[in-house]
Amino acid sequence: MAKLPQSCYVVCLAFSIVVNLSLIFKLYGHGEWELSWSRRAAEEAELVAAVPCSGHGRAYLDGLVLDGKEPVCECNSCYGGPDCSQFLTDCESNADSGDPYFLEPFWMQHASESAILVAGWHRMGYVFPDQSYISQELERLIRKVHAIAGNAVTQGRYIVIGAGSTHLVNAAVHALSPSSTDSLNSSSTSSSPASIVVTIPFYALYETQTKYFRSLDYKFEGDGSLLQNISDGSKRVIEFVTSPNNPDGKLNKANFQGPNSEAIYDRVYYWPHFTPIPAPADEDVMLFSISKLTGHAGTRLGWAVIKDESVYQRMLQHTVTSNLGVSRDTQLRALKLLNVVAQGRGKEIFEFGYNTMRKRWEGLNKAMSVSNRFSLQKNEPQYCTFSQKIRGPSPAYAWVKCEWEEDKDCYAVLQEEANVYGRRGSVFGAEDRYVRLSLIKSQDDFDILLQRMNQLVSQEDAQPQTYMNNVTKPSLRSKMYSCK
Amino acid sequence: MAKLPQSCYVVCLAFSIVVNLSLIFKLYGHGEWELSWSRRAAEEAELVAAVPCSGHGRAYLDGLVLDGKEPVCECNSCYGGPDCSQFLTDCESNADSGDPYFLEPFWMQHASESAILVAGWHRMGYVFPDQSYISQELERLIRKVHAIAGNAVTQGRYIVIGAGSTHLVNAAVHALSPSSTDSLNSSSTSSSPASIVVTIPFYALYETQTKYFRSLDYKFEGDGSLLQNISDGSKRVIEFVTSPNNPDGKLNKANFQGPNSEAIYDRVYYWPHFTPIPAPADEDVMLFSISKLTGHAGTRLGWAVIKDESVYQRMLQHTVTSNLGVSRDTQLRALKLLNVVAQGRGKEIFEFGYNTMRKRWEGLNKAMSVSNRFSLQKNEPQYCTFSQKIRGPSPAYAWVKCEWEEDKDCYAVLQEEANVYGRRGSVFGAEDRYVRLSLIKSQDDFDILLQRMNQLVSQEDAQPQTYMNNVTKPSLRSKMYSCK
C-alpha cells in the first residue's frame, strides 16, 4: 500500500468524525423515543397508506391483499383499475347512502394527530376502573366539543354512549315507554303502548327499528299530525324530532307538548358543517354521533345528552343489556378524533366541513337554478353563534322535488335519465315526487353527481313538460348566500 | 498541538470508519421503514406502556392523566399506591366478574404482533366495498381459527358478527321467533310467542335480556324441564344451551327436539383454554366471542355460525337494524388478534390458556380437597382433539356448593368469613347454596382468592358443622388429572 501524507489522514479522520457526529445526532438527537414493539404496527400502517391509488381510492389494513401480500386499492365510485386511475364513464352516480367521506381529506391532512396505536393488552376487561362502561376522558371530550361548537348544553346533563345513534334510538324509545316510566311518572294513567310519532319527511330507521323490535311497550304510529287531533293526553306519545331534519335540513321542533309527551331530539346533523348554530340545544333527550361530527360512520359511536337521571339510568341499562357497552377500541379512537376536533377550538374541522358542504350546495343550487323541472329545499340563512356571522345553508342532503306533473316517480326520473341513484321520497314517508341526494360522500362522488345533474338540466328544453299548479320558479328560490 | 505518530491517525480513522458503518447499518441497515405520521402514535403507546406499575397494574392511553400529563397506573385488586406497589391486606377478593385478564400476559409477550395502528381515515364509511358489514379478512380468520382449534364446523356455514355474544343472543332469539319464521316454516301452527327455555344453572343474561325487550314474539319461561312435560309440540320452543356451561363447565346438550324446537348453542367457552374439545361442534346456531377466545371482553365482538340461510339473513338484519353493524376499529383489532392466534396453528395461545387455567383449577381443587364444608363441580377429563391427548378440566368458573346444612347462603358465607365476593347461585336460577367464583381474572386476583379460600378451609375445624344427607366427601371428588 502506498504511504499517504499524514495531512491526508488528519483530514480523513476529521471528516469521518463529522459524519459520526451527524449520524449520532440523526439517531439519538431528536429526543425521539427509540421504538420497539410498536414499530411493526406503525410500519404496516404507513406501508398501506403509501399504496398509490391515484387520489381516487385508498388501501386499508384490513382490505384484501394480493398473493404477494400487496394491499389492494379500493376505488371511489366511477374509478377502477388496480390503482384507481381509470375513469368509468358509464358508471352509476350513487347518491343514496349517508357515508360521510367528505371529511376524509381532513383526516389525511391530520394524519399524525389522529393516528392511534392500540396495544394488544389494551383494556381487556368489561368495565373501566370506576366500574362504568364509558371512558371518563371520552366523556370529558364530548362535553368539551359541545362547548366549543356551542350546539348543546351539557353542564348538569348525563351522557350515555352507544353503538352509533342507531343504538341509542331504541334505547331512548325503550327508556321513555310506559313499562319503564310508569313507576316514575304518576301522571301516566294508561299502560297501553306508547305511540311513536314523527313528522313527514323522516329518517326511515325510526320506523323500521321501532317496528322491528315488536315491543309490548311502544308502537310506531307514523305521522304525528293525525294523532294530534284525536289524542286526549292520556296516552304516552314519544315524538322523534330530527333537527336539522334528514332529509330536508329543517330545524324542526316538537309538535307534542304536555306531561304525557316526550321528544327524542335527533341532533346528529346539528354541527357547523351542516347548519348555522343559532343557540345551544337544550332538550331533555338529544342524540349525537361521531359519524356526522368527524365523518366516522364506520366507528359505531354515538351519545345521548339527557336531563333526567332516571331516563339516563334506563338508557344506560339498555346499552348494557343489549351490547354490554361500547368497544374500548372504538372509545379510544373516538377520544383521539375528538381531541383533534377540540384543537384550536374546533376552527379547523368546522371550517373545513362548512366550506366543503357550502361549496357543494352552491354548486348544486347553481345547476338547479336554471331548471324548471327540479327544485331543491330552501334552508334559510341564519346567524351562527359558532362562526359569529350569518351563514347560508350547507345541508347534508338535497331534497329534490320533481315539479313536472308527469314526473311522479322522481327516483326513476333521475335513475333512467341521468344514471343517478338517490333515495326515494317514500322511504321518508313522503311522495315519490321527492328524492334525497346525499351530498356528504367523497369529492369524486359529488363531482359526478353534479356533472350528471348539470347534464340532465341542460336537456330540459328537449323534453315535454307540464308544470304543477303550485310550482315556484326554482331559480327564484335558489338565491345564494355567501356569509362566510 | 503535539504531533502524533501516523499509525495513531490510521488506527483512529479505522475505528471511526467502523463506528460510521455500524451507525449507518443501525439507521438504514434493517430494511426499516422511515416512520413519519405514525411515529407520534407509536411513541405515545410505548410511553404509556413503559409506565412502571410494579407488575400489579398498567397504564392505558385513555386512562386518567396527572396534571403533568403523566398517565396514571390502574392497579389490580388488592394493590394500591401511585405505582401499584402497596399490597392492601384487608381488600375484597372480587371473584364475581368474568373479566378474562388471565390472557393479558400472553398479549404483553406478543406486543409486536398484536399491536395495531389505526389511521385517522381508516374505514369511515358504513359498509365494506362488497356492501357488507363484515371484513372479509376477519371472516376468513374466524373460519381459520375454528379449523385450527377443531371446535366448530364452519365450512358451508354463514357467519354474522355482533357487539359480543350479548348482542347475538337477542339476534338469535329474534331470528328464531314465530313472527320472523312463520313465512318460512309452514309447520308452525301457532303465532303465540315462542317459549324461551334453559336448564338451571344458567347465565343470567338470557333471562334479563329476553325479559327486557318485552317482545310480542317471545317469552322467557325459565327452566325447560317443566315445559317439556306439558308441551304438545305445537308451540315454538327456543332453548339456550351453554356448552361448556356457565357456571358449571358441563358440556350441555339440548333437551328439546322436534320440528318446532330450536336451540341456540352458546359456545363461547368451547376453546382449549377451558375444556377438552372432543369434536367440532356442528349445531344450527352457535355463538362465539373474542372475549373468551383472546380475552378481549372490552372489544365487543362476537360471531354466530349458522346453518340456515334464512336464519342468517334475519340475524344479520338484527345487527344492522339495532347497531348498523360492528365498529370497523373493533373488526380491525379482532383481525389482528385472531392472526396471532392462528400463528403456529394456535399452539401458543391455547397452551398458555390451558396451562394457566389448569394450574388455577388444580390449586383451587387442592385447597378444597381438605374441606368438608365446600365442594366444587366435577368436570370429567376427556380426550381433546386439539392437544391429541386426554385432558383434565380447566374450567372458567368454580361452581362452589356449601355442604353444611346451615350454610344456605353460600355467597354470604364466603363474603362474611373470607371477604370473597362471588356471584350468587340464585343469579343462575339455582339455590343460594351455590356460588360462582371467577377463575379467569388476573393472576393477582386468583392468588388472593386462593389464599382466602385456603384460609377459610383451614378454619373449618373450629366451626360448628352439620353435613347434608347427600354429601359426597369432596376430597374423593377432586382427584387430579394431569394429562398435559
Side-chain angles (χ1 to χ4, degrees):
Chain A
M1 191 175 93
K3 206 169 177 183
L4 296 168
Q6 183 157 348
S7 61
C8 190
Y9 286 105
V10 173
V11 170
C12 287
L13 180 59
F15 176 75
S16 182
I17 288 170
V18 168
V19 173
N20 263 327
L21 290 174
S22 72
L23 285 170
I24 288 167
F25 181 79
K26 196 167 169 61
L27 256 175
Y28 305 108
H30 298 132
E32 278 180 353
W33 185 275
E34 178 87 14
L35 295 178
S36 63
W37 59 270
S38 71
R39 172 169 272 281
R40 177 169 157 169
E43 282 180 6
E44 281 172 359
E46 290 208 10
L47 276 165
V48 166
V51 174
C53 301
S54 311
H56 299 295
R58 78 291 302 149
Y60 292 114
L61 266 182
D62 59 354
L64 292 177
V65 288
L66 295 174
D67 291 341
K69 288 286 175 192
E70 272 292 302
V72 168
C73 283
E74 298 180 13
C75 303
N76 292 347
S77 306
C78 299
Y79 287 88
D83 63 349
C84 306
S85 63
Q86 292 169 26
F87 182 70
L88 313 170
T89 43
D90 293 334
C91 69
E92 291 173 6
S93 163
N94 185 332
D96 177 14
S97 82
D99 283 318
Y101 282 112
F102 76 105
L103 286 168
E104 194 184 58
F106 176 85
W107 295 108
M108 287 183 164
Q109 287 161 22
H110 292 79
S112 178
E113 307 101 286
S114 60
I116 191 95
L117 194 136
V118 190
W121 61 92
H122 178 74
R123 296 241 178 254
M124 294 175 67
Y126 284 107
V127 290
F128 286 87
D130 60 359
Q131 303 302 304
S132 79
Y133 291 88
I134 182 171
S135 150
Q136 292 307 308
E137 285 292 299
L138 174 62
E139 186 175 334
R140 187 182 63 76
L141 272 164
I142 287 173
R143 292 178 194 275
K144 188 174 176 183
V145 168
H146 280 302
I148 287 170
N151 69 336
V153 174
T154 62
Q155 212 180 2
R157 305 292 181 269
Y158 300 93
I159 287 177
V160 170
I161 55 172
S165 65
T166 305
H167 189 201
L168 295 166
V169 163
N170 194 239
V173 166
H174 215 98
L176 296 170
S177 289
S179 79
S180 309
T181 52
D182 267 352
S183 60
L184 296 131
N185 184 355
S186 55
S187 73
S188 175
T189 54
S190 163
S191 65
S192 65
S195 296
I196 313 293
V197 300
V198 71
T199 301
I200 292 170
F202 62 88
Y203 177 43
L205 181 99
Y206 307 142
E207 180 171 1
T208 50
Q209 192 185 71
T210 308
K211 285 183 171 171
Y212 175 81
F213 279 106
R214 287 178 48 85
S215 172
L216 291 160
D217 299 327
Y218 48 82
K219 199 171 170 221
F220 188 80
E221 307 264 13
D223 185 16
S225 60
L226 302 169
L227 198 76
Q228 211 165 4
N229 302 329
I230 54 163
S231 173
D232 63 356
S234 68
K235 200 176 168 66
R236 165 61 59 115
V237 175
I238 300 172
E239 184 179 6
F240 276 111
V241 187
T242 318
S243 184
N245 193 34
N246 173 0
D248 63 11
K250 292 207 162 41
L251 287 172
N252 284 347
K253 286 195 165 58
N255 292 314
F256 284 80
Q257 309 292 336
N260 227 351
S261 300
E262 299 280 353
I264 299 167
Y265 270 83
D266 184 338
R267 287 284 191 183
V268 297
Y269 296 96
Y270 197 55
W271 295 102
H273 313 317
F274 307 116
T275 177
I277 307 290
D282 192 22
E283 292 96 18
D284 290 357
V285 177
M286 302 185 278
L287 307 184
F288 293 91
S289 78
I290 202 150
S291 166
K292 298 304 182 291
L293 165 57
T294 66
H296 293 80
T299 298
R300 306 300 311 138
L301 191 127
W303 59 94
V305 180
I306 307 154
K307 269 189 195 166
D308 183 77
E309 193 192 342
S310 62
V311 174
Y312 157 71
Q313 291 291 357
R314 291 193 298 273
M315 286 186 69
L316 181 62
Q317 187 199 346
H318 185 99
T319 62
V320 174
T321 306
S322 58
N323 284 20
L324 269 178
V326 175
S327 254
R328 304 319 163 250
D329 324 85
T330 301
Q331 293 193 45
L332 178 61
R333 188 166 188 222
L335 186 157
K336 191 79 176 180
L337 298 168
L338 292 185
N339 206 32
V340 178
V341 171
Q343 279 167 17
R345 298 200 55 75
K347 283 282 174 222
E348 274 201 85
I349 191 165
F350 293 132
E351 299 232 333
F352 182 97
Y354 174 75
N355 289 339
T356 305
M357 294 311 301
R358 178 70 188 151
K359 206 170 154 195
R360 290 184 182 186
W361 184 244
E362 285 178 339
L364 188 67
N365 241 307
K366 193 175 163 197
M368 308 291 261
S369 66
V370 294
S371 167
N372 58 32
R373 188 179 189 185
F374 306 104
S375 66
L376 295 175
Q377 82 266 32
K378 192 178 179 195
N379 299 129
E380 296 293 338
Q382 281 200 55
Y383 184 78
C384 176
T385 52
F386 175 75
S387 56
Q388 300 187 305
K389 56 184 90 168
I390 292 181
R391 289 211 328 196
S394 54
Y397 305 105
W399 185 232
V400 178
K401 185 179 181 187
C402 278
E403 298 282 358
W404 290 357
E405 181 63 38
E406 64 270 33
D407 288 347
K408 287 184 177 66
D409 186 347
C410 200
Y411 173 86
V413 168
L414 294 188
Q415 187 234 303
E416 287 162 17
E417 298 186 28
N419 207 3
V420 164
Y421 288 74
R423 192 171 286 183
R424 289 180 178 285
S426 54
V427 172
F428 302 87
E431 289 175 74
D432 270 339
R433 186 170 288 287
Y434 290 89
V435 69
R436 188 193 82 170
L437 301 179
S438 175
L439 308 179
I440 58 178
K441 299 181 75 182
S442 72
Q443 194 59 42
D444 281 344
D445 278 305
F446 180 75
D447 290 345
I448 290 146
L449 172 68
L450 188 60
Q451 182 218 321
R452 296 280 167 83
M453 294 307 287
N454 264 317
Q455 208 171 352
L456 183 63
V457 169
S458 72
Q459 291 161 357
E460 273 179 36
D461 292 339
Q463 303 258 345
Q465 51 197 273
T466 319
Y467 284 98
M468 290 179 73
N469 292 336
N470 60 348
V471 69
T472 313
K473 185 75 186 72
S475 58
L476 298 176
R477 291 170 52 185
S478 60
K479 187 180 162 197
M480 296 287 100
Y481 295 92
S482 188
C483 313
K484 258 203 69 73
Chain B
M1 192 176 92
K3 206 169 177 185
L4 295 168
Q6 185 159 345
S7 61
C8 190
Y9 286 105
V10 172
V11 170
C12 287
L13 179 58
F15 176 74
S16 181
I17 288 169
V18 168
V19 170
N20 265 327
L21 289 174
S22 73
L23 285 170
I24 287 167
F25 181 77
K26 196 167 168 63
L27 255 175
Y28 306 108
H30 298 132
E32 278 180 352
W33 185 275
E34 180 88 12
L35 295 178
S36 64
W37 59 270
S38 72
R39 172 168 274 280
R40 178 168 156 169
E43 281 180 6
E44 280 172 0
E46 290 208 10
L47 276 165
V48 167
V51 175
C53 301
S54 310
H56 299 295
R58 80 291 301 149
Y60 292 113
L61 266 182
D62 59 354
L64 292 177
V65 289
L66 295 173
D67 292 340
K69 289 286 173 190
E70 272 290 301
V72 168
C73 283
E74 298 179 14
C75 304
N76 293 346
S77 306
C78 299
Y79 287 88
D83 64 349
C84 306
S85 62
Q86 292 168 29
F87 182 69
L88 313 170
T89 42
D90 294 334
C91 68
E92 290 173 5
S93 164
N94 185 332
D96 177 14
S97 82
D99 283 318
Y101 282 112
F102 76 106
L103 285 168
E104 194 184 57
F106 177 84
W107 295 108
M108 287 181 165
Q109 287 162 22
H110 293 78
S112 178
E113 307 101 284
S114 60
I116 191 96
L117 194 136
V118 191
W121 61 92
H122 179 74
R123 296 242 178 251
M124 294 175 68
Y126 284 107
V127 290
F128 286 87
D130 60 359
Q131 303 302 305
S132 79
Y133 290 87
I134 183 172
S135 150
Q136 292 307 309
E137 285 292 298
L138 174 62
E139 186 175 334
R140 188 182 63 76
L141 272 164
I142 286 172
R143 292 178 193 274
K144 187 173 176 183
V145 167
H146 280 301
I148 287 170
N151 69 335
V153 174
T154 63
Q155 213 180 1
R157 305 292 181 270
Y158 300 93
I159 287 178
V160 170
I161 55 171
S165 64
T166 306
H167 188 200
L168 295 166
V169 162
N170 194 237
V173 166
H174 214 99
L176 297 171
S177 289
S179 80
S180 309
T181 51
D182 268 353
S183 59
L184 296 132
N185 185 355
S186 56
S187 72
S188 175
T189 54
S190 162
S191 65
S192 65
S195 295
I196 313 293
V197 299
V198 71
T199 301
I200 291 170
F202 61 89
Y203 177 43
L205 182 98
Y206 306 142
E207 180 171 2
T208 52
Q209 191 186 71
T210 309
K211 285 182 172 172
Y212 174 80
F213 279 105
R214 287 177 49 84
S215 172
L216 291 159
D217 299 327
Y218 49 84
K219 201 172 168 216
F220 188 80
E221 306 264 13
D223 185 16
S225 61
L226 303 168
L227 197 77
Q228 211 165 4
N229 301 329
I230 55 164
S231 173
D232 63 355
S234 69
K235 201 175 166 67
R236 165 61 59 115
V237 175
I238 300 171
E239 184 180 6
F240 276 110
V241 187
T242 318
S243 184
N245 194 33
N246 173 1
D248 63 11
K250 291 205 163 42
L251 287 172
N252 285 347
K253 287 195 164 58
N255 292 313
F256 284 80
Q257 309 292 336
N260 227 351
S261 300
E262 299 280 354
I264 300 167
Y265 270 82
D266 185 338
R267 287 283 190 185
V268 297
Y269 295 96
Y270 197 55
W271 295 103
H273 312 317
F274 307 118
T275 177
I277 307 290
D282 191 21
E283 292 96 18
D284 289 357
V285 177
M286 302 185 277
L287 307 183
F288 293 91
S289 77
I290 202 148
S291 166
K292 299 304 182 290
L293 165 57
T294 67
H296 293 81
T299 297
R300 307 300 311 136
L301 192 128
W303 60 94
V305 179
I306 308 154
K307 269 190 194 164
D308 184 77
E309 193 192 343
S310 62
V311 174
Y312 156 70
Q313 291 291 357
R314 291 193 297 274
M315 286 185 70
L316 181 62
Q317 187 199 349
H318 186 99
T319 62
V320 174
T321 306
S322 58
N323 285 19
L324 269 178
V326 175
S327 253
R328 304 319 162 250
D329 324 86
T330 300
Q331 293 193 46
L332 178 60
R333 189 167 186 221
L335 187 157
K336 191 79 176 179
L337 298 168
L338 292 185
N339 206 33
V340 177
V341 171
Q343 279 167 18
R345 298 201 55 76
K347 283 280 174 226
E348 273 201 85
I349 191 165
F350 293 132
E351 300 232 333
F352 182 97
Y354 174 75
N355 289 339
T356 305
M357 294 311 300
R358 177 72 188 152
K359 206 170 155 197
R360 291 184 181 185
W361 183 244
E362 285 178 338
L364 189 66
N365 242 307
K366 194 175 163 198
M368 307 290 262
S369 65
V370 295
S371 167
N372 58 32
R373 188 180 189 185
F374 306 104
S375 67
L376 295 175
Q377 82 265 30
K378 192 179 180 195
N379 299 128
E380 296 293 341
Q382 282 200 55
Y383 184 77
C384 177
T385 52
F386 174 75
S387 56
Q388 300 186 303
K389 55 184 90 167
I390 292 181
R391 289 210 329 196
S394 54
Y397 306 106
W399 185 232
V400 178
K401 185 178 180 187
C402 278
E403 298 282 1
W404 290 357
E405 181 64 38
E406 64 270 33
D407 288 347
K408 288 184 176 65
D409 186 348
C410 200
Y411 173 87
V413 168
L414 294 188
Q415 187 233 305
E416 287 161 18
E417 298 185 31
N419 208 4
V420 164
Y421 288 75
R423 192 170 285 182
R424 289 181 177 284
S426 54
V427 172
F428 302 88
E431 290 175 74
D432 270 338
R433 186 170 288 287
Y434 289 89
V435 68
R436 188 193 82 169
L437 301 179
S438 175
L439 308 180
I440 58 178
K441 299 180 75 181
S442 72
Q443 194 59 41
D444 280 345
D445 277 305
F446 180 75
D447 289 345
I448 290 146
L449 172 67
L450 188 61
Q451 181 218 322
R452 296 280 167 82
M453 294 307 288
N454 264 316
Q455 209 171 352
L456 183 63
V457 169
S458 72
Q459 290 162 357
E460 274 179 35
D461 293 338
Q463 304 257 346
Q465 52 196 271
T466 320
Y467 285 99
M468 290 179 74
N469 293 336
N470 60 348
V471 70
T472 314
K473 185 75 185 75
S475 57
L476 298 176
R477 293 172 51 186
S478 60
K479 189 181 161 199
M480 295 287 101
Y481 296 92
S482 188
C483 313
K484 257 203 69 70

